[in-house]
Amino acid sequence: MMDKTFDPAAVEARISTRWEEAEAFKAGRSDRKDAPPYTIVIPPPNVTGSLHMGHALNNTIQDILCRFERMRGRDVLWQPGMDHAGIATQMVVERQLMERQIHRRDLGRDEFVARVWEWKEESGGRIKDQLKRLGASCDWSRERFTMDEGLSRAVLKVFVDLYKQGLIYKDKRLVNWDPKFQTAISDLEVQQVEVKGNLWHIRYAIEGEAGRFITVATTRPETMLGDVAVAVHPEDERYKDLVGKHAILPLIGRRIPIVADEYSDPEKGTGAVKITPAHDFNDFDVGKRHKLPLINILGTEAQLALNGNEAFFEELPPSDDLRAILALDGFDRAEARKRIVAMLEERGDLVEIEPHTHMVPHGDRSGVVIEPYLTDQWYVNVKPLAERALGAVRKGETKFVPENWEKTYFQWLENIEPWCVSRQLWWGHQIPAWYDADGNVYVANSENEAKAEARAKHGHDVPLTRDEDVLDTWFSSALWPFSTLGWPDDTPEVKRYYPTNTLVTGFDIIFFWVARMMMMGLHFMEEVPFDTVYIHALVRDEKGAKMSKSKGNVIDPLSVIEQYGADALRMTLAAMAAQGRDIKLSVQRVEGYRNFATKIWNAARFAEMNGCVRTANFDPRSVQETLNKWALSELAKAVAEVTAGIEAYKFNEAALAAYRFVWNVFCDWTLELAKPVLQGPDSSAKEETRATIAFIFDEISKVLHPFMPFLTEELWAIKGREGPKRESVLALASWPLLGNLIDEKAEAELGWVVDLVTEIRSARSETNVPAGAQIPLALVSPAPYVKDRIAVWGDIIKRLARLSEISYADSAPKSSIQLLIRGEVAALPLEGVIDLAAERARLQKEIQKLDADIAKIDAKLGNADFIKRAPEEVIEEQHERREDATARKAKMEEALGRLKGA
């Protein structure tokens, strides 16, 4: 006998063990060696990471696809693994060391890296177990790590080959510099934070024109020490006569040109901007256009670095002001700012201080202000690689779902800049470059190869020093689709599983990861790495706000799993995963799908208690009872909808099709209509109905399995104890193919019965008929087949719709509301049951109130000031309230329309 309730906590671990013992997720199974492959590579989570709701959505979608294709008979490889996450992992270990007053430099590089590996083995990778809790059906036996030996060989080969092809080089350029970690970081690791600051208006004297000044406005007065020009817009009449002349930099005395450049916006500030190419990305571009010098006035910790700085001193006249500035050498940028502003004010060069709110870049992990910093780094010239990656998508070799994300992909790749791949860290793939005493560089697969190259150059052995930098984490991740399969070796896995099929990822890494995998895959494998990129949306809170710890609105997936089970969370995410729409998640929604799981469990117990047992050689095409034909026909339609939904990456449509069939068609109608047969005397109809229900339950388990794997696998095992022996676990069972079961005749008959009862129930609710009231039904001038249906189903219709009687009439009785059911008129006489006049008045009043509500919302949404100032989630909430009010109004108007004729 089944347990009274489904307890996910008691089932999930046991089911996971069952899958492992059956090797259900193993790629290359002997029984599928001739099956077509289907490959997904997991977006490798950070080894420091823990499961958040974005991971839960991403991996639920991947798992749906993998379980679906596995059940369709394909040889599925869902390749798991983790990313070494350079800066995040180094930060974790450094923090642990600092708690014991140990700095990594006290240990030295080798010892520190050894400590990181120890941490990784002991504490890293907990997200793997969390993904298993979610039900992720990866081939865990093939797990990879971006710094394991095989992937390290792939990284070495790619770096060396690109260098020898002239696509990797060293250059001095601006980077995002984190002064706390003292390393370059990627744009993805930069977080824009709104800060209330100031615009300082500073006047620069015009050379040779006594008493004339040009005023610039800046949020960074301390960087003026590195100014090399002032830019104005070429069409700005105020400054046309100044273009080509020179200004004198206050405090410093440097003579700097005034240039015309469209970067300067006449509408912002004073229309004149200071140009500091070594400390601003836009200024760097202006500097390149006008061949301006680069003067870096900051050190690696964002402190003033002036003494000994040759570029800073060039052509500077000695002065008391300059000596005062040089005395600030070593000061932190914030303190230097205060002192420089005070000096400007004292000398009368500070015109105005204007309060100014603006976005300031911060390190997402360090929390400090990021500095555009001029430094030597390694770069990849990705322009030629990007051309191939653009062409592949334009030709349809890889498609994006939703398609609109192609535009984002194109925009990024069409405007691509050289990729800075070096990081000033110790944890990561150390750059395979060695230097001799003269600064000559030797890029090679090993130190011995580098020494051989140096020997060939010098004619004798010379000492070499290895580059201390490591590679950007995204460099190794870019090779993920083929490095995980054993490349650069020509392995059987590379031949069978590359290119992969579907990549599931978030929009924020289309450039950082997707585009780079495309570039590397095409360059080294001569094929796109995947045929489809599915971009999933964000998971927000129930009000549409982005989840964040500071807001206190984060929903922890593991807590949700503990409370409601993994299946409920997965089904919720799938049912809400509409293409292009963010998910507004609430715990109440998850609770709703937990109730769905309970509904299925209760239906299974009902079937068990009524003897619905699987029978050998049951042929669903041979059933004779109309109810069974109809139920199987509806099942076939649902399977077709679920299949089409998953194939089209419309996971919400697939999940909701399965939900509607199970709850509405099977539980609410099939089992309800079958009760008289199941609870009646033994007969061939009873035997057939039992077998049909048992068959449908198996098919429900299959069609729901990609979404709710634990519940369905448990039911599969329970139902497998009765009847013929199961051949395998459900995860390896065959996907239903039931198209030949669609029966239009059965649907016409029972579909009409279902529609009739549904419409009567709806009309009763809308017109406030008391729940316990028995009311009559009159069928107006019915077709002959209607009377035949009533003869068969009349008693059930009366019971389900709470009718006192069913009669036939030539015209609708007085004071009745009329329903049109597939062309047949059904009338419900309500005189004496409700006060018709009062009900009409109530509905009219409700409609007027809804009209007023809609008008208020329209006024808000039509207010430009409201739209400008209100948070995104508040605006979205107003749109939803309007949709809800409009839908309720339509219902009320429909009910009123029925009563007007009564």
Side-chain angles (χ1 to χ4, degrees):
M1 187 71 178
M2 287 177 65
D3 292 339
K4 189 174 181 181
T5 57
F6 173 61
D7 180 7
V11 166
E12 289 171 356
R14 186 174 72 249
I15 294 297
S16 292
T17 301
R18 189 179 302 162
W19 288 329
E20 287 178 15
E21 289 172 350
E23 296 187 329
F25 311 146
K26 193 172 180 61
R29 290 170 56 92
S30 59
D31 57 348
R32 300 198 178 200
K33 61 182 180 181
D34 297 323
Y38 180 82
T39 313
I40 286 183
V41 290
I42 199 169
N46 287 354
V47 68
T48 59
S50 61
L51 193 71
H52 58 62
M53 206 53 85
H55 288 134
L57 171 63
N58 181 290
N59 286 278
T60 293
I61 289 171
Q62 290 177 82
D63 196 48
I64 289 169
L65 290 167
C66 288
R67 288 182 185 273
F68 173 66
E69 295 296 354
R70 196 178 287 117
M71 293 177 79
R72 296 217 290 185
R74 297 181 74 170
D75 176 21
V76 172
L77 169 59
W78 184 6
Q79 175 63 56
M82 283 181 289
D83 193 287
H84 64 278
I87 197 166
T89 307
Q90 180 159 321
M91 184 176 73
V92 168
V93 178
E94 280 199 66
R95 189 184 294 135
Q96 290 180 348
L97 290 172
M98 290 304 289
E99 288 172 0
R100 294 155 54 194
Q101 305 298 309
I102 301 172
H103 191 280
R104 66 180 166 102
R105 297 198 179 276
D106 299 333
L107 295 176
R109 184 179 195 128
D110 291 345
E111 176 62 21
F112 176 76
V113 170
R115 295 284 184 97
V116 180
W117 276 109
E118 283 176 22
W119 175 87
K120 187 260 178 187
E121 295 305 319
E122 292 172 11
S123 307
R126 62 177 174 165
I127 195 168
K128 170 185 170 180
D129 294 327
Q130 294 169 345
L131 288 171
K132 287 185 174 182
R133 293 243 6 229
L134 186 69
S137 62
C138 300
D139 184 347
W140 297 105
S141 68
R142 294 176 181 266
E143 184 184 353
R144 303 303 300 270
F145 181 54
T146 49
M147 281 190 63
D148 67 25
E149 184 181 349
L151 272 70
S152 294
R153 285 200 305 114
V155 168
L156 269 176
K157 176 172 173 54
V158 167
F159 189 94
V160 173
D161 284 3
L162 289 175
Y163 178 80
K164 290 180 176 176
Q165 293 161 12
L167 293 172
I168 281 185
Y169 59 96
K170 206 165 189 182
D171 194 11
K172 187 183 286 290
R173 294 173 62 93
L174 280 191
V175 296
N176 294 308
W177 185 264
D178 190 312
K180 180 175 179 180
F181 295 133
Q182 296 186 45
T183 180
I185 61 174
S186 72
D187 289 343
L188 193 64
E189 294 162 311
V190 176
Q191 186 176 25
Q192 297 295 334
V193 178
E194 189 173 81
V195 172
K196 289 182 179 178
N198 294 306
L199 264 179
W200 284 271
H201 294 249
I202 306 168
R203 65 178 193 173
Y204 291 28
I206 303 300
E207 184 185 43
E209 297 190 30
R212 191 176 182 190
F213 302 89
I214 187 168
T215 301
V216 302
T218 179
T219 59
R220 300 286 311 274
E222 70 279 10
T223 64
M224 66 172 286
L225 305 183
D227 283 2
V228 296
V230 173
V232 297
H233 194 279
E235 303 302 320
D236 195 331
E237 294 294 335
R238 294 172 293 177
Y239 304 119
K240 270 197 171 182
D241 70 312
L242 291 179
V243 174
K245 296 183 179 181
H246 288 78
I248 305 300
L249 187 62
L251 306 180
I252 306 302
R254 184 181 298 120
R255 179 175 175 270
I256 58 177
I258 299 170
V259 300
D261 196 282
E262 290 185 354
Y263 165 62
S264 180
D265 185 348
E267 303 299 320
K268 286 184 178 179
T270 64
V273 292
K274 59 193 279 307
I275 301 300
T276 320
H279 296 287
D280 183 279
F281 288 102
N282 292 315
D283 291 7
F284 183 81
D285 292 336
V286 175
K288 281 198 300 184
R289 287 195 288 272
H290 296 275
K291 297 182 173 57
L292 299 170
L294 299 166
I295 301 177
N296 183 5
I297 53 95
L298 293 177
T300 58
E301 296 181 71
Q303 82 283 11
L304 284 189
L306 306 175
N307 289 317
N309 184 337
E310 292 180 7
F312 177 76
F313 278 102
E314 190 175 351
E315 298 181 6
L316 287 186
S319 67
D320 289 342
D321 282 345
L322 179 59
R323 280 187 284 275
I325 289 293
L326 289 175
L328 300 180
D329 187 70
F331 276 62
D332 175 74
R333 56 189 165 175
E335 182 60 29
R337 174 182 296 181
K338 292 177 187 175
R339 294 181 181 239
I340 289 168
V341 167
M343 291 173 68
L344 288 168
E345 190 168 21
E346 183 182 335
R347 286 152 185 74
D349 288 326
L350 186 63
V351 178
E352 179 188 357
I353 301 176
E354 177 188 350
H356 180 64
T357 301
H358 60 126
M359 305 303 286
V360 176
H362 287 65
D364 66 344
R365 290 188 175 88
S366 66
V368 302
V369 175
I370 294 304
E371 202 59 63
Y373 187 64
L374 187 66
T375 178
D376 288 313
Q377 302 286 346
W378 287 93
Y379 289 89
V380 179
N381 175 16
V382 283
K383 195 75 175 175
L385 306 181
E387 289 300 324
R388 292 189 70 182
L390 280 164
V393 174
R394 287 187 175 126
K395 288 184 286 188
E397 293 172 30
T398 295
K399 65 176 183 178
F400 279 79
V401 180
E403 189 177 357
N404 61 289
W405 286 111
E406 287 184 3
K407 294 177 185 175
T408 302
Y409 176 84
F410 292 148
Q411 285 168 358
W412 274 331
L413 288 187
E414 286 165 356
N415 299 287
I416 201 163
E417 292 287 331
W419 174 16
C420 175
V421 293
S422 46
R423 297 290 182 266
Q424 289 64 56
L425 303 170
W426 283 356
W427 173 244
H429 294 282
Q430 192 170 355
I431 288 174
W434 287 262
Y435 303 91
D436 62 22
D438 300 326
N440 297 308
V441 62
Y442 306 93
V443 173
N445 284 294
S446 67
E447 186 173 9
N448 286 337
E449 283 187 22
K451 285 180 176 177
E453 288 183 19
R455 189 183 308 116
K457 181 178 180 65
H458 292 279
H460 56 84
D461 288 337
V462 296
L464 297 180
T465 304
R466 186 167 184 178
D467 196 307
E468 289 197 352
D469 290 354
V470 300
L471 285 165
D472 176 12
T473 300
W474 296 105
F475 192 91
S476 48
S477 297
L479 318 181
W480 191 247
F482 51 93
S483 64
T484 51
L485 300 175
W487 188 90
D489 294 336
D490 189 21
T491 65
E493 287 83 0
V494 170
K495 292 175 181 175
R496 180 156 178 77
Y497 299 112
Y498 189 92
T500 70
N501 295 88
T502 308
L503 179 75
V504 179
T505 189
F507 65 87
D508 54 334
I509 53 174
I510 290 175
F511 174 68
F512 293 95
W513 191 45
V514 178
R516 287 166 178 167
M517 283 190 288
M518 287 287 287
M519 290 189 282
M520 293 300 187
L522 285 162
H523 190 72
F524 286 96
M525 305 297 290
E526 294 295 333
E527 286 185 273
V528 293
F530 23 73
D531 57 50
T532 304
V533 180
Y534 175 81
I535 303 294
H536 64 74
L538 286 176
V539 184
R540 298 177 178 269
D541 73 8
E542 60 187 309
K543 294 180 180 176
K546 196 170 181 178
M547 292 187 193
S548 71
K549 290 179 182 176
S550 60
K551 289 181 181 177
N553 64 345
V554 173
I555 301 175
D556 176 17
L558 293 170
S559 297
V560 173
I561 290 172
E562 289 287 345
Q563 188 170 3
Y564 300 108
D567 291 320
L569 175 60
R570 290 169 58 112
M571 189 66 178
T572 305
L573 293 170
M576 300 181 75
Q579 286 184 14
R581 290 189 65 178
D582 287 348
I583 291 174
K584 293 181 183 178
L585 185 67
S586 69
V587 174
Q588 289 74 23
R589 284 186 180 270
V590 183
E591 186 177 5
Y593 284 104
R594 190 275 312 273
N595 295 342
F596 177 54
T598 300
K599 183 88 168 176
I600 297 167
W601 189 262
N602 289 341
R605 290 183 74 243
F606 172 86
E608 182 183 67
M609 288 187 288
N610 283 276
C612 300
V613 178
R614 297 161 54 245
T615 59
N617 304 317
F618 173 75
D619 182 0
R621 293 167 298 181
S622 66
V623 298
Q624 299 299 312
E625 296 298 314
T626 302
L627 171 60
N628 297 332
K629 288 180 180 180
W630 174 77
L632 290 165
S633 181
E634 292 299 303
L635 169 67
K637 290 178 186 176
V639 169
E641 285 183 58
V642 174
T643 303
I646 297 176
E647 287 178 336
Y649 302 96
K650 294 181 178 179
F651 301 102
N652 61 314
E653 293 182 10
L656 292 173
Y659 178 93
R660 281 193 302 270
F661 173 77
V662 174
W663 192 300
N664 302 124
V665 177
F666 184 67
C667 294
D668 284 359
W669 291 106
T670 304
L671 297 183
E672 194 64 42
L673 295 171
K675 278 180 182 177
V677 179
L678 295 174
Q679 294 165 4
D682 289 345
S683 63
S684 60
K686 184 174 184 176
E687 183 181 341
E688 180 188 281
T689 302
R690 282 173 163 174
T692 301
I693 289 172
F695 174 82
I696 292 175
F697 235 106
D698 271 4
E699 304 309 290
I700 285 173
S701 295
K702 291 177 185 177
V703 87
L704 274 176
H705 183 70
F707 308 96
M708 307 178 79
F710 294 104
L711 169 69
T712 53
E713 191 74 68
E714 178 74 351
L715 287 172
W716 185 257
I718 290 169
K719 297 299 180 184
R721 292 198 291 262
E722 304 163 341
K725 188 177 183 302
R726 299 283 195 205
E727 291 183 8
S728 67
V729 292
L730 176 58
L732 294 172
S734 297
W735 186 255
L737 294 170
L738 306 174
N740 57 3
L741 292 181
I742 294 176
D743 190 317
E744 300 296 346
K745 185 178 178 183
E747 197 285 324
E749 180 173 333
L750 259 171
W752 181 85
V753 171
V754 168
D755 288 353
L756 175 63
V757 173
T758 302
E759 285 293 312
I760 293 170
R761 287 173 171 174
S762 179
R764 290 176 63 113
S765 173
E766 289 167 5
T767 53
N768 270 354
V769 173
Q774 297 275 315
I775 59 174
L777 170 69
L779 296 168
V780 181
S781 301
Y785 65 81
V786 171
K787 293 183 178 180
D788 294 339
R789 290 172 184 171
I790 296 300
V792 176
W793 304 103
D795 288 343
I796 289 177
I797 293 170
K798 285 163 66 175
R799 175 168 60 86
L800 296 179
R802 297 190 295 280
L803 301 175
S804 57
E805 62 174 310
I806 300 175
S807 61
Y808 305 104
D810 294 331
S811 60
K814 181 185 174 187
S815 302
S816 64
I817 61 174
Q818 296 177 43
L819 312 172
L820 189 64
I821 314 296
R822 300 195 182 191
E824 297 293 325
V825 177
L828 296 172
L830 296 181
E831 190 169 26
V833 179
I834 62 171
D835 185 331
L836 294 170
E839 186 57 25
R840 288 190 199 99
R842 183 188 74 80
L843 290 169
Q844 286 169 337
K845 188 175 179 181
E846 285 288 330
I847 290 167
Q848 288 170 358
K849 183 177 180 300
L850 288 166
D851 278 333
D853 290 345
I854 291 167
K856 284 180 185 175
I857 295 169
D858 285 343
K860 272 189 179 180
L861 295 175
N863 184 330
D865 191 54
F866 171 78
I867 295 297
K868 182 180 178 181
R869 295 178 182 276
E872 182 185 344
E873 60 266 26
V874 172
I875 296 170
E876 182 63 24
E877 183 188 9
Q878 291 296 318
H879 281 293
E880 288 183 357
R881 283 180 57 195
R882 191 186 192 286
E883 282 182 27
D884 182 55
T886 303
R888 284 167 54 209
K889 179 186 170 187
K891 283 273 188 187
M892 297 285 182
E893 286 177 335
E894 185 181 354
L896 183 60
R898 285 171 175 164
L899 284 175
K900 280 181 177 175

